Each structure stands twice: as C-alpha cells, then as structure tokens.
C-alpha cells in the first residue's frame, strides 16, 4: 500500500513538473505572455476549430519604445513591457490569447467576437488604458486588426494583414492631420482602395 501511494505521488510530481516545463517553454520570460511560437501554434488551433465563426487578430506595436528605452534605460523599458502585458491580459477574456512576438510587439487573438463594433469596443478600451498609463512618457501604440474569416482564414494571412494595417496606422500617425495613434485599424473592406 505504501509503495502504491509513493508511486502515485511520483506520478503526480512528474505531471506537475511536465506542466511547469511546458508553461516555461511557451512563455515569454519577461512578460509571462505566450511566446511567439506558442502564440502561433495556439492561434492556429483556435482558427481550425469549426465552432469559431468570427475572430480578430490584433497586432500591437509600442511606438517610440526604442527611444524611451535608450533614454530611460533597459530596466525602465522592461517595466513598460511588463505593464503593457498586464494591461493586455487584464483587458481580454480568459479564452482569448495574448502573446509577445517581438521586442515591443504583441498579438491578441480575440475569438467568438460578435461583430465589428464588438472588436472596436474591446480594442478601444485597451487603447484608453494604455494611453492613460504611458502617454506621459511619449509612448503610444499602433494597432492593426484583421478579422477571421473576412481578412483571411489562416493565421499567417491574418498576421500579415494585421501587421500591414498597424503599419499603415504608424505612417498615418506621422501626418499632421491624422487622428490619434491609438485609433483602431479597420477591416480590409473598409480600407479597400476606391
């Protein structure tokens, strides 16, 4: 009986250790968000789920991060990235995915969105939180949003379009007549050339 209990404890410890190692392998060490590989893999699984009718991939880029990081130091930069991660994770549902895919770049996969207004409302709330916290440092954000299935049916296409839409926002933000940098990307149909 004692031997059997000992084996159960060892199996449970082994499972716990495996789960911990898996989480470490999938997490960004600084922010705790999903790392690039895990974000891609988990997003692909979500998009393959036939129950998912609508989703949106948001590509988020922290503008002016390099200059702030250079001026204030890397510890300050790390603090900014950690706080951005906290704001992102606290602003999404537990079923949505949030990952860090580059130095100052992140992704959010919202799934089961209702319509365009739903995603705009969610992203607008995130933008307000980020602006409130970081605007005094000269840090803004560019967000590009692609929608599934309207803008693409696979992760790579959605990522490419979300990045392009965010890049367009960064360029537009440099023009004197532009709206705020944190304004939302629109769907491909809204951006189609006329």
């Amino acid at each position: 009986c004692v031997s059997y209990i000992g084996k159960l404890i060892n199996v449970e410890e082994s499972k716990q250790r495996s789960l911990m190692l898996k989480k470490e392998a999938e997490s960004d060490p600084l922010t705790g968000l999903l790392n690039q590989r895990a974000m891609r893999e988990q997003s692909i699984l979500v998009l393959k789920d036939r129950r998912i009718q609508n989703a949106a991939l948001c590509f988020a880029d922290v503008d002016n991060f390099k200059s702030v990081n250079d001026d204030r130091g890397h510890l300050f930069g790390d603090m900014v990235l950690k706080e951005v991660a906290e704001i992102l994770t606290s602003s999404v549902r537990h079923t949505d995915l949030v990952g860090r895919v580059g130095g100052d770049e992140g992704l959010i996969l919202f799934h089961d969105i209702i319509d365009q207004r739903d995603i705009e409302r969610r992203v607008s709330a995130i933008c307000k939180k980020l602006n409130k916290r970081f605007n005094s440092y000269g840090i803004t954000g560019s967000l590009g949003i692609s929608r599934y299935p309207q803008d693409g049916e696979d992760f790579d296409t959605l990522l490419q379009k979300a990045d392009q839409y965010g890049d367009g926002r960064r360029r537009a933000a440099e023009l004197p007549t532009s709206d705020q940098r944190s304004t939302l990307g629109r769907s491909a149909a809204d951006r189609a050339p006329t």
Side-chain angles (χ1 to χ4, degrees):
C1 184
V2 172
S3 174
Y4 183 70
I5 292 172
K7 287 179 184 179
L8 284 176
I9 291 171
N10 286 340
V11 168
E12 185 60 31
E13 287 175 359
S14 179
K15 284 182 185 178
Q16 298 261 342
R17 200 172 19 251
S18 292
L19 287 173
M20 185 182 71
L21 291 173
K22 183 178 189 279
K23 183 174 180 173
E24 285 178 11
E26 293 179 342
S27 297
D28 173 68
L30 178 66
T31 63
L33 298 177
L34 291 173
N35 62 29
Q36 184 174 13
R37 189 189 90 253
M39 183 69 188
R40 183 176 197 285
E41 289 172 357
Q42 290 185 32
S43 295
I44 289 170
L45 290 174
V46 168
L47 295 172
K48 285 184 178 181
D49 186 339
R50 296 193 185 275
R51 295 172 292 177
I52 301 298
Q53 299 295 313
N54 293 296
L57 186 66
C58 177
F59 187 92
D61 187 22
V62 180
D63 299 328
N64 306 321
F65 179 75
K66 183 180 180 339
S67 63
V68 170
N69 200 32
D70 291 345
D71 292 345
R72 295 182 177 254
H74 293 282
L75 289 177
F76 180 81
D78 288 352
M79 182 271 309
V80 167
L81 293 175
K82 288 177 187 176
E83 287 191 40
V84 167
E86 287 174 23
I87 290 170
L88 294 179
T89 54
S90 70
S91 301
V92 300
R93 300 167 300 180
H94 72 279
T95 56
D96 297 325
L97 300 175
V98 182
R100 180 177 177 209
V101 296
D104 61 354
E105 298 169 338
L107 288 178
I108 304 170
L109 180 68
F110 298 98
H111 53 86
D112 290 332
I113 59 171
I114 299 167
D115 56 20
Q116 181 69 18
R117 284 188 304 257
D118 181 32
I119 192 62
E120 288 175 356
R121 180 185 50 77
R122 292 180 195 204
V123 174
S124 179
I126 292 170
C127 289
K128 286 178 185 174
K129 289 179 183 178
L130 291 171
N131 281 341
K132 182 178 179 183
R133 177 63 186 99
F134 298 112
N135 204 26
S136 63
Y137 299 120
I139 297 173
T140 57
S142 297
L143 300 171
I145 302 167
S146 60
R147 295 183 301 158
Y148 167 86
Q150 296 89 334
D151 294 329
E153 295 189 9
D154 64 89
F155 176 77
D156 292 326
T157 302
L158 292 171
L159 177 60
Q160 179 184 20
K161 290 191 177 181
D163 187 22
Q164 287 173 348
Y165 301 157
D167 188 47
R169 279 296 184 197
R170 283 187 291 279
R171 283 197 299 272
E174 295 168 3
L175 301 174
T177 58
S178 70
D179 49 343
Q180 289 186 320
R181 288 182 181 205
S182 63
T183 56
L184 305 175
R186 296 181 303 271
S187 72
D190 296 333
R191 286 182 292 279
T194 55

